[in-house]
Amino acid sequence: QVQLVESGGGVVQPGRSLRLSCAASGFTFSSNAIHWVRQAPGKGLEWVAVISYDGSNKYYADSVKGRFTISRDNSKNTLYLQMNSLRAEDTAVYSCARDLVSYYYVYAFDIWGQGTKVTVSS
Amino acid sequence: QSALTQPASVSGSPGQSITISCTGTSSDVGSYNLVSWYQQHPGKAPKLMIYEVTKRPSGISNRFSASKSGNTASLTISGLQGEDEADYYCCSYAGSTTVIFGGGTKLTVL
């Protein structure tokens, strides 16, 4: 079964850190770029970051640049998002999503996880 | 960058066709054929409906079609069915390896 499963969300105080994980199964994880996308409560989708299939290239939305770090361990079929200096506006459900085409970016997300909820509040 | 502009809501009766617009700029929608569309039911993960402006992934009904003209992309759903009631989001590559989504459109099937 092709799937992505996120974990690591929770309630955290402003300024603190959190690390999210995304475990992949049912497909060759090391062949595709993977993205993080978030959705604030009652709001639309916001792209957060992408990492290339081999982890050599990483790109971020301006809203998280310098605070968030995306990484992957292809030997463990797992994607990560290290979130530092968290702000109230980072409160959202964070989902990982696979880029459709192997070894390339078409910025179309064909497999999504169910998401993990992050709440930043004092 | 601002979100792509979508109507907040659209509605239609079963069997009818509706079109959802997605307006960007010459820096995103207008410059790249990398527009995708997603359907999201409440509490569910988004589902890819269209990629690269007009292409349907395997398993997506041909009732869903899409196009682009200038800085505006459009999603058309024909033969509306109750199960089509959902939120729809457009998405575009915006250069410099960044991605931008639309604000979302709530489709109501009357």
Side-chain angles (χ1 to χ4, degrees), chain A residues 80-118:
Chain A
Y80 303 99
L81 185 67
Q82 178 66 44
M83 305 186 295
N84 298 332
S85 303
L86 282 162
R87 306 167 180 167
E89 54 263 36
D90 296 319
T91 294
V93 172
Y94 287 73
S95 298
C96 51
R98 187 181 80 166
D99 202 299
L100 175 66
V101 176
S102 300
Y103 307 113
Y104 197 60
Y105 304 101
V106 294
Y107 305 98
F109 317 125
D110 67 332
I111 300 171
W112 294 69
Q114 284 298 317
T116 186
K117 186 174 181 179
V118 173

Side-chain angles (χ1 to χ4, degrees), chain B residues 35-80:
Chain B
V35 176
S36 53
W37 288 90
Y38 301 86
Q39 176 192 68
Q40 186 179 34
H41 288 107
K44 300 295 187 181
K47 180 180 181 180
L48 177 65
M49 307 303 285
I50 297 286
Y51 67 99
E52 292 182 313
V53 181
T54 61
K55 299 178 180 178
R56 277 190 312 274
S58 175
I60 300 302
S61 170
N62 59 10
R63 297 188 299 106
F64 292 84
S65 62
S67 63
K68 188 184 83 167
S69 178
N71 298 337
T72 299
S74 299
L75 173 72
T76 297
I77 308 173
S78 58
L80 268 180

